Amino acid sequence: MIINPNKLSSDSKQIANHNEQFDHLASRLSKQNIEVPSLVDKLAAFQVAIPSWALGAGGTRFGRYSYFGEPASLEQKLEDIGVLHSLTRSAGAVSLHIPWDIPTDYKAVKELAFELDLRFDAVNSNTFQDSVGAKHSYKFGSLSNTSIGARQQAIAHNKEVIKIGEKLGSKSMTVWLADGSSFPGQHNFQTALSNTQDSLKEIYKSLADDWKLFIEYKPYEPYFYSTVIQDWGTSFMLANQCGEKAYTLVDLGHHLPNTNIEQIVSTLMFKGKLGGFHFNDSKYGDDDITVGSIKPYALFLIFNELVYGMANNPQNPELSWMIDASHNLKDPLEDLIQSLEAIQITYAKALLVDQDLLKQAQKEHDVSLCQEILQEAYLTDVRPLVRQARLKLNAPLAPLQTYRNLGVREQLIKERGKNTVATGL
Amino acid sequence: MIINPNKLSSDSKQIANHNEQFDHLASRLSKQNIEVPSLVDKLAAFQVAIPSWALGAGGTRFGRYSYFGEPASLEQKLEDIGVLHSLTRSAGAVSLHIPWDIPTDYKAVKELAFELDLRFDAVNSNTFQDSVGAKHSYKFGSLSNTSIGARQQAIAHNKEVIKIGEKLGSKSMTVWLADGSSFPGQHNFQTALSNTQDSLKEIYKSLADDWKLFIEYKPYEPYFYSTVIQDWGTSFMLANQCGEKAYTLVDLGHHLPNTNIEQIVSTLMFKGKLGGFHFNDSKYGDDDITVGSIKPYALFLIFNELVYGMANNPQNPELSWMIDASHNLKDPLEDLIQSLEAIQITYAKALLVDQDLLKQAQKEHDVSLCQEILQEAYLTDVRPLVRQARLKLNAPLAPLQTYRNLGVREQLIKERGKNTVATGL
Amino acid sequence: MIINPNKLSSDSKQIANHNEQFDHLASRLSKQNIEVPSLVDKLAAFQVAIPSWALGAGGTRFGRYSYFGEPASLEQKLEDIGVLHSLTRSAGAVSLHIPWDIPTDYKAVKELAFELDLRFDAVNSNTFQDSVGAKHSYKFGSLSNTSIGARQQAIAHNKEVIKIGEKLGSKSMTVWLADGSSFPGQHNFQTALSNTQDSLKEIYKSLADDWKLFIEYKPYEPYFYSTVIQDWGTSFMLANQCGEKAYTLVDLGHHLPNTNIEQIVSTLMFKGKLGGFHFNDSKYGDDDITVGSIKPYALFLIFNELVYGMANNPQNPELSWMIDASHNLKDPLEDLIQSLEAIQITYAKALLVDQDLLKQAQKEHDVSLCQEILQEAYLTDVRPLVRQARLKLNAPLAPLQTYRNLGVREQLIKERGKNTVATGL
Amino acid sequence: MIINPNKLSSDSKQIANHNEQFDHLASRLSKQNIEVPSLVDKLAAFQVAIPSWALGAGGTRFGRYSYFGEPASLEQKLEDIGVLHSLTRSAGAVSLHIPWDIPTDYKAVKELAFELDLRFDAVNSNTFQDSVGAKHSYKFGSLSNTSIGARQQAIAHNKEVIKIGEKLGSKSMTVWLADGSSFPGQHNFQTALSNTQDSLKEIYKSLADDWKLFIEYKPYEPYFYSTVIQDWGTSFMLANQCGEKAYTLVDLGHHLPNTNIEQIVSTLMFKGKLGGFHFNDSKYGDDDITVGSIKPYALFLIFNELVYGMANNPQNPELSWMIDASHNLKDPLEDLIQSLEAIQITYAKALLVDQDLLKQAQKEHDVSLCQEILQEAYLTDVRPLVRQARLKLNAPLAPLQTYRNLGVREQLIKERGKNTVATGL
């Protein structure tokens, strides 16, 4: 399904209403010496990749409630992302997961993506599940396995993912290594780490010069005692061992309770080692729920570091942004629209922070003022700025409402039926 | 020090600017069928007690950096709260701590409070520190102690606090029972709980008919293994044992990591057992930092339950609101102004929630819409509403700025010197 | 498969070795005035139910690695538990899960259980998954659902489970209510709680006089923002609302980080409201791994409260003990043998605590001594006591080793094949 | 006070009893091919430093209950450690804290230490409190401060601490940098990290060739939003920046909830960057309570990694072991005796792990067996081994009992009175 662009324009009343809100805000911000047009340009330019596995319903170990009209093929997944991009103009990239999304016809897939205005961002390997007919199981690990056979199979898989990515025009691969142990004693930590280091180096050798390797970390799950790459420190250490094209990837849900994530982001940018960033939100663990639905202020503080780093740390690459959420209760497309909205809103707020004033207040240890400066930006209702960016891009002012008004889900069900199941979790 | 009311009025330019912002917002909200004037009235009526120990610098076990111009007497503490109330018109109550603040001249203290427009809210007992010359130590507990002598001393102290409160016009007492153990085996949990139950019942007998007893809970600190009243369930159980005039008191910082506090608030209001509420914020433990500085959205969700409960659960008393924060780095008065501001802003946002629409969406399991409704309220910049409430009350539009412009701290230092130390922590 | 009892006896060398270890320990303990024979009797009498869903491999939301020889029917599940009971003489009960294990032939099932020396302990209802063809979905709740249809369907299911239990000779039902929400705003907490209260009361009416209702609590998962029965306080409150036959059930994995579970156990026993107890262990969340594999000392402290309560709180019923673990990596039967071993060892240690001495030390605030008393019991190697209990019951001294020596798993695979899948998670 | 060595010998009945227990255990272990004598030698050789600030009562921000007979001078502190060492023969080192313990007479202090058989282990700098009369305050940071004056003062202090350590024969300095922020926005993370890096490099220049610098990390407290060196990754990164003589120091209490500390220890040893280790225990935060009193199995797992690393990672230095606990309720000396006992017991258990068998089981993914191997070691009652080491060293078999029998505390009170206060926290 591809939405007819004519259906995406807002009506004149909506636009008049928006203009009034925007003008009022822009006038206020201009008095604070904020360059509103360039801020809107930044918002318009910000694009987040959608992973190909996020278009269907997710589940928990206790079960999964299926969603109607799920995409049954890679082409349908791309179409869903195309819908998102049409509605928001901020989802202009796709992040493929191998082996769930191996193209059968590369040319056709690339043409479809081009038509939908989608880039292929980082490709993702998968060694946390066994493929049918695989010689070696990953039950006890892949890149870290004590069995050389399992390690070599996992290395070969990663190399294959890079090749697939190259054919599609991707420029990076993300390795989320689920490897770990569920019981004390199961792993020799040093062996597991050493094997992982060697395996990653081997994979790294296959990277073309203009490619990047993103190493993700996570403290627990699917294993319940240890994870080989448990924290940013381990990822950073491994990336340094691999070389200049290896970076750490931060996923918001992959931290222990109370972690100060914004400081980790800042440290990695300071060191030029932040490569990728996965958005989601959570209250307890890696809950993978809608961005900004639980801790929007923490997200703002993280964005504040990202904005600062993008302006001050040219040693980092352009970041690969992705939404890594799961959709157990909501329509996946609605959920993703809400996540995209939350990302844009939070980015806009972070762009409002008066960095010069903040630096001065920090220098003078004026803690109350430091707080005021952040709060001033955070409390501002920036939705008119986000809408202005959409208007510039010919996207509807209210994507979720438009999605509902157009009956997109009903249309998808009509096309695909109620029993399709998207590959994924 | 008492601020001359003439110095508190905002200048015409500020007022004009505010009027423009307020009119713009009010017009937008009116279109959503929100009754702006009554909302502003609610904001204006909302009053939060300031505890008498919060006017000086706080510290940690690693030390304390003193603050200049701290109040050295109860009278000076009242004056500081008077300053806060003049500046914000939302701090119209004081919560005394005994034995730190026993009046020597009740009449004079009451007159001063009257002059400053301050009520005496809940009085607080203290059995977590030994008084000089006390016969029994609380090192191993007070109301829960295995020693009957210590228990009786603690009971007598609580009864004395009630008497002091009665003389001042208070109508409630808060018991924060720090009692606990730092090592497995130190306590027989059943004995400690049984003693506590009996002690509280004994104290409860002294309550006048129009008085209330608030039972606070906390999972740990100052003891590091167990606390006798560790959670809302224990407090609720004890309050039920005591009788109708006993209630649970919720302090935002007194919960384990990831606790859903708003659900606790909701349960207590449903059962008619929420009596008091202590504001602060925290990232790790009972950090006691500025309200809204870390998790403003969580505070909004809590306020959403409070607003709902105040409208729908008449079985609860009018709540006793208090800021229970510590000021290790900031000027205590600045910190409290920021806390008061955060409370008003969050209350205003919670008042914007369209409860009818929300109930309907909940009924229809329209989860995306439920989230939109909350976000719509939360994302609105409500500061013009808060300022409008201040304007009505003849308070300055920008309290923190006014505090600085008037040089209040400098004046306090001039009056009190640099070496005064407020009683407290 | 039923193990020939003749194969279960230990050889004379093992027995001689055991006797030497046991005599040495018994002699030492006797000097401390511990009555070893009665202690061994208590160990021998302690029986833990095995849930019918725990005999197959478990999984996570990221997938499941299947295990060979899984039981494919209720009869095979009973046989597996029979194997466990033969090997340990401590697994003499089964806890059925409905609808996964509805008997087709009640008489045959009861006879098989009798033959295997297994009781039917608490039956478990399931409203966290939809049954095929069910009219109402539980996606948005069951007993708490805003839809009366869903609530009534869930109530009817629970009543049916009681009926099934009655036919088998069970005397209790456990309700684990997964109901909750994944997003702020999704639930009206008061409505959800009120509906749940009413639904439970309705179910409670169906309980025969000699039956008990166990209400389980859990803070999160499968929902990620709130759970209707989030903690012991809520369960306790609901149990009180229902009546005398309703009790709280504690599952070790269902707590927030750092919770003092032993204190909860103590409080519930003090109030006569502890009914059931689920064993497992965890490091991060509800990890459901082998009992005692992560926090054995916490388990000891909990058992210390249980032992104390069983001796001092006759107001509680005999507890329903169950292992509620998942087996993602290990052979499920091996895992359960290790859990049973950990339970017996920890129970034995708790029985060694000198309660009189402890009470005296507590009274004297001799904290160091309190700790010494617990450590003295905990540090003792009690395995000879556990083995002595086994010897008395004609069970093998080393169950895990015997399981392996007898080639039980190989035999099961031969009988059942490699592709059976046990119903469960 | 120095205990007369004659009073330390155990009586013949105690010794006979011990011999019987030891022989029984040694015989059993020998059958498992464990070389008992060399194991006892390792236990006897293990020495843990006592920090000079741990001999008095500790407190919390809510107050401090003083302990009678506290040491009032450095000499008295050394004597207290001498008492501990006499009683346990495992506390043969002292870790000084500057400025609390600057010697006035170096020669005398060294002679006293020699007489008491105490080494000077790592010295500790303090920039988390202001010294009287200091020009710059550390309220807003020391090595990370935006003020160059404060940074230089802190650097100079650290250099002075090294000099003091050199005079006493220390070979290392520990930097616990408390620097952090309590509010979002207060710190520019990159500036704070960059300043810290530069400051540490500057301090590092002062290190003699045979010295080591230990960089401690901690996630929070005394600041409540961020700490500059928040985790091992940051410490490791800074140590690498400094050079070969810089190492990470692990304090058990300085981690977020649920952290897998043993894996961190393993990673650091793998990389040759573990330098120091602080023992204590905790349930909630940095509770600093008696070693092994809360999570003895976690301590065992950590020791398992330490033992493995000491055997397999010669790239690490000999570790600096220290007890970093606080004594709020117990007699500090009793508490330290219990901690020393817990350390020896846990070390002994870790030494029992059959590393060859474990490696084999890990290789074969025999997870059940891996667990059995650890449990076999952990469940063994190793106290006879610890006592045997004491016997070899002419220390009493039961140090705590001997401490009480000798009336040490009573004697200290007689000598020092009830009102002395040890410098410290």
Side-chain angles (χ1 to χ4, degrees), chain D residues 141-172:
Chain D
S142 58
L143 298 182
S144 76
N145 204 313
T146 51
S147 143
I148 187 162
R151 291 205 301 279
Q152 285 177 340
Q153 177 180 297
I155 291 168
H157 166 70
N158 275 280
K159 290 184 173 178
E160 190 210 341
V161 173
I162 294 173
K163 283 210 183 101
I164 292 171
E166 282 172 345
K167 289 195 217 166
L168 292 167
S170 285
K171 293 291 173 199
S172 53

Side-chain angles (χ1 to χ4, degrees), chain B residues 193 197 200 214-217 229-243 246-250 264-275 316, chain C residues 193 197 231-238 240-241 271:
Chain B
L193 183 58
Q197 192 173 287
L200 285 171
F214 301 144
I215 303 173
E216 202 166 344
Y217 60 90
I229 309 180
Q230 72 165 335
D231 52 18
W232 78 268
T234 311
S235 165
F236 177 75
M237 191 177 79
L238 291 167
N240 279 329
Q241 296 279 340
C242 283
Y247 297 89
T248 292
L249 183 146
V250 173
I264 292 172
V265 165
S266 168
T267 300
L268 288 167
M269 295 200 91
F270 180 59
K271 292 288 170 182
K273 275 295 186 189
L274 183 61
N316 292 282
Chain C
L193 182 57
Q197 191 174 287
D231 53 17
W232 79 267
T234 311
S235 164
F236 176 75
M237 192 176 79
L238 291 167
N240 280 328
Q241 296 279 341
K271 293 287 170 182

Side-chain angles (χ1 to χ4, degrees), chain A residues 276-345:
Chain A
F277 197 89
H278 285 182
F279 292 101
N280 51 55
D281 210 340
S282 55
K283 187 169 173 65
Y284 304 100
D286 186 29
D287 306 339
D288 278 338
I289 58 176
T290 325
V291 180
S293 63
I294 297 293
K295 300 173 194 155
Y297 191 58
L299 183 63
F300 165 76
L301 295 175
I302 291 163
F303 250 116
N304 186 39
E305 296 305 322
L306 291 165
V307 164
Y308 181 87
M310 289 189 284
N312 293 279
N313 304 120
Q315 65 271 40
N316 292 282
E318 249 190 87
L319 292 182
S320 280
W321 310 100
M322 194 185 92
I323 294 174
D324 194 1
S326 185
H327 317 287
N328 300 347
L329 297 178
K330 293 185 201 160
D331 177 337
L333 294 176
E334 292 199 355
D335 206 345
L336 288 162
I337 290 170
Q338 290 186 316
S339 282
L340 288 163
E341 175 106 11
I343 290 167
Q344 288 182 297
I345 285 173

Side-chain angles (χ1 to χ4, degrees), chain B residues 40-311:
Chain B
V40 170
D41 285 348
K42 282 183 183 169
L43 288 178
F46 199 79
Q47 299 296 320
V48 182
I50 307 296
S52 57
W53 64 89
L55 291 324
T60 71
R61 63 172 169 138
F62 295 102
R64 178 183 179 275
Y65 295 97
S66 62
Y67 215 86
F68 300 152
E70 293 191 7
S73 66
L74 176 53
E75 287 72 14
Q76 291 187 347
K77 291 177 181 181
L78 289 174
E79 284 182 12
D80 277 11
I81 300 174
V83 164
L84 287 172
H85 194 39
S86 305
L87 289 166
T88 66
R89 283 285 129 201
S90 65
V94 53
S95 192
L96 291 193
H97 184 284
I98 308 302
W100 297 336
D101 303 300
I102 304 178
T104 46
D105 180 341
Y106 283 85
K107 192 156 165 284
V109 161
K110 286 175 75 171
E111 282 174 4
L112 177 58
F114 182 80
E115 187 189 345
L116 298 169
D117 196 20
L118 303 176
R119 277 185 313 106
F120 288 95
D121 206 319
V123 282
N124 303 270
S125 61
N126 173 342
T127 60
F128 57 90
Q129 289 177 326
D130 288 344
S131 296
V132 179
K135 194 171 170 193
H136 301 277
S137 170
Y138 298 138
K139 183 175 182 177
F140 298 106
S142 59
L143 299 182
S144 75
N145 204 312
T146 52
S147 143
I148 187 162
R151 290 205 300 280
Q152 285 177 339
Q153 177 180 295
I155 292 168
H157 165 70
N158 275 280
K159 290 184 174 180
E160 192 211 341
V161 172
I162 294 172
K163 282 209 184 101
I164 292 171
E166 282 171 346
K167 289 196 217 165
L168 292 166
S170 285
K171 292 293 174 198
S172 52
M173 176 172 70
T174 296
V175 174
W176 169 48
L177 187 70
D179 287 21
S181 70
S182 286
F183 297 96
Q186 180 186 339
H187 262 195
N188 181 297
F189 292 136
Q190 296 199 19
T191 305
L193 183 58
S194 177
N195 285 342
T196 300
Q197 192 173 287
D198 293 345
S199 298
L200 285 171
K201 281 182 184 171
E202 187 61 32
I203 294 165
Y204 185 83
K205 285 185 198 161
S206 299
L207 281 187
D209 283 352
D210 60 347
W211 266 61
K212 297 184 288 284
L213 178 67
F214 301 144
I215 303 173
E216 202 166 344
Y217 60 90
K218 186 174 182 178
Y220 65 94
E221 201 210 22
Y223 295 93
F224 295 118
Y225 170 62
S226 71
T227 303
V228 176
I229 309 180
Q230 72 165 335
D231 52 18
W232 78 268
T234 311
S235 165
F236 177 75
M237 191 177 79
L238 291 167
N240 279 329
Q241 296 279 340
C242 283
E244 289 195 351
K245 294 177 289 181
Y247 297 89
T248 292
L249 183 146
V250 173
D251 179 297
L252 289 176
H254 294 187
H255 299 87
L256 290 173
N258 305 341
T259 303
N260 187 323
I261 302 173
E262 50 270 34
Q263 193 177 359
I264 292 172
V265 165
S266 168
T267 300
L268 288 167
M269 295 200 91
F270 180 59
K271 292 288 170 182
K273 275 295 186 189
L274 183 61
F277 196 89
H278 285 183
F279 293 101
N280 50 55
D281 211 339
S282 54
K283 186 168 173 68
Y284 303 101
D286 186 30
D287 306 339
D288 278 337
I289 58 176
T290 326
V291 180
S293 62
I294 297 291
K295 300 174 193 154
Y297 191 58
L299 183 63
F300 166 76
L301 296 174
I302 291 163
F303 251 116
N304 186 39
E305 296 305 322
L306 291 165
V307 165
Y308 182 86
M310 289 189 284

